[in-house]
Amino acid sequence: MKKLFLALLCLGLFIFISCASTDIPNKNGVPLTTENSVLVYGYYDKLSELNLLVQSSDYKYELIECDVSRDYFVAERPIYVEDKLKILNYELEYKNLLGKTTAIEIFNCGIGGYEMSFDKPQVYYFSFTGDYKKSEEKKAINHALKTYKNTEWAELLNKRLGELQ
């Protein structure tokens, strides 16, 4: 009886671990790949948190969290090419010369309208201000590469980085 219990426990753990390791983002059951989706990354000075919202005419909104580090962000999952994105909320963190946080501003943007729409699969750089700087995009790509290393997106990000040289 103990051997059977142990065998069932091991089988259960194996199934749980294998399901957790194959978590591929999808849209209505279709896997999001470099052929049908967009990877959003970018920059905003003093950014410490960012959440995006996939707009939907049928009111089935999706929250897309972003990985933010030192003003640079990348969406934690690709966006289907036909989706439109709205900045739902973001947080700015102000620090003094010693690195201590002195103030935090939180902005809630609501759900009306959208800031980003796409016409083809791609890696997409977004700047809040619209003021483009090549050096900021390079740093944003390096941040995105940390999140998407060893994925099919790394090849596209590296290609874009090469174009910026």
Side-chain angles (χ1 to χ4, degrees), residues 12-145:
L13 285 173
F14 174 75
I15 291 171
F16 176 75
I17 290 170
S18 64
C19 289
S21 64
T22 59
D23 185 27
I24 298 172
N26 68 73
K27 176 78 172 189
N28 298 327
V30 177
L32 296 174
T33 68
T34 57
E35 302 296 320
N36 66 3
S37 55
V38 177
L39 182 63
V40 177
Y41 63 98
Y43 167 82
Y44 191 45
D45 190 36
K46 300 181 182 20
L47 186 68
S48 62
E49 186 176 319
L50 173 64
N51 290 305
L52 304 171
L53 186 69
V54 174
Q55 295 293 66
S56 175
S57 58
D58 61 1
Y59 303 104
K60 293 181 180 175
Y61 300 108
E62 295 175 66
L63 179 69
I64 308 293
E65 295 180 352
C66 293
D67 177 19
V68 180
S69 177
R70 295 185 181 166
D71 308 334
Y72 300 96
F73 68 90
V74 63
E76 290 186 351
R77 76 159 181 82
I79 314 308
Y80 186 64
V81 73
E82 294 178 2
D83 286 340
K84 294 174 174 50
L85 286 181
K86 168 77 177 164
I87 296 171
L88 180 63
N89 57 40
Y90 63 99
E91 183 178 286
L92 302 179
E93 186 174 14
Y94 298 89
K95 296 183 178 192
N96 65 15
L97 293 175
L98 300 175
K100 183 177 178 184
T101 300
T102 58
I104 294 177
E105 285 185 275
I106 299 172
F107 298 88
N108 293 302
C109 304
I111 62 171
Y114 60 91
E115 280 83 25
M116 293 173 250
S117 64
F118 316 102
D119 58 354
K120 62 182 180 179
Q122 61 185 307
V123 290
Y124 184 83
Y125 175 74
F126 181 78
S127 173
F128 279 63
T129 62
D131 182 29
Y132 177 77
K133 293 182 182 172
K134 188 187 289 189
S135 62
E136 289 172 353
E137 184 176 3
K138 286 180 184 178
K139 290 177 184 175
I141 289 173
N142 286 323
H143 172 66
L145 280 167

Side-chain angles (χ1 to χ4, degrees), residues 139-158:
K139 290 177 184 175
I141 289 173
N142 286 323
H143 172 66
L145 280 167
K146 291 176 187 171
T147 301
Y148 286 93
K149 67 181 175 184
N150 302 324
T151 70
E152 62 184 341
W153 291 101
E155 183 179 333
L156 291 177
L157 290 165
N158 281 317

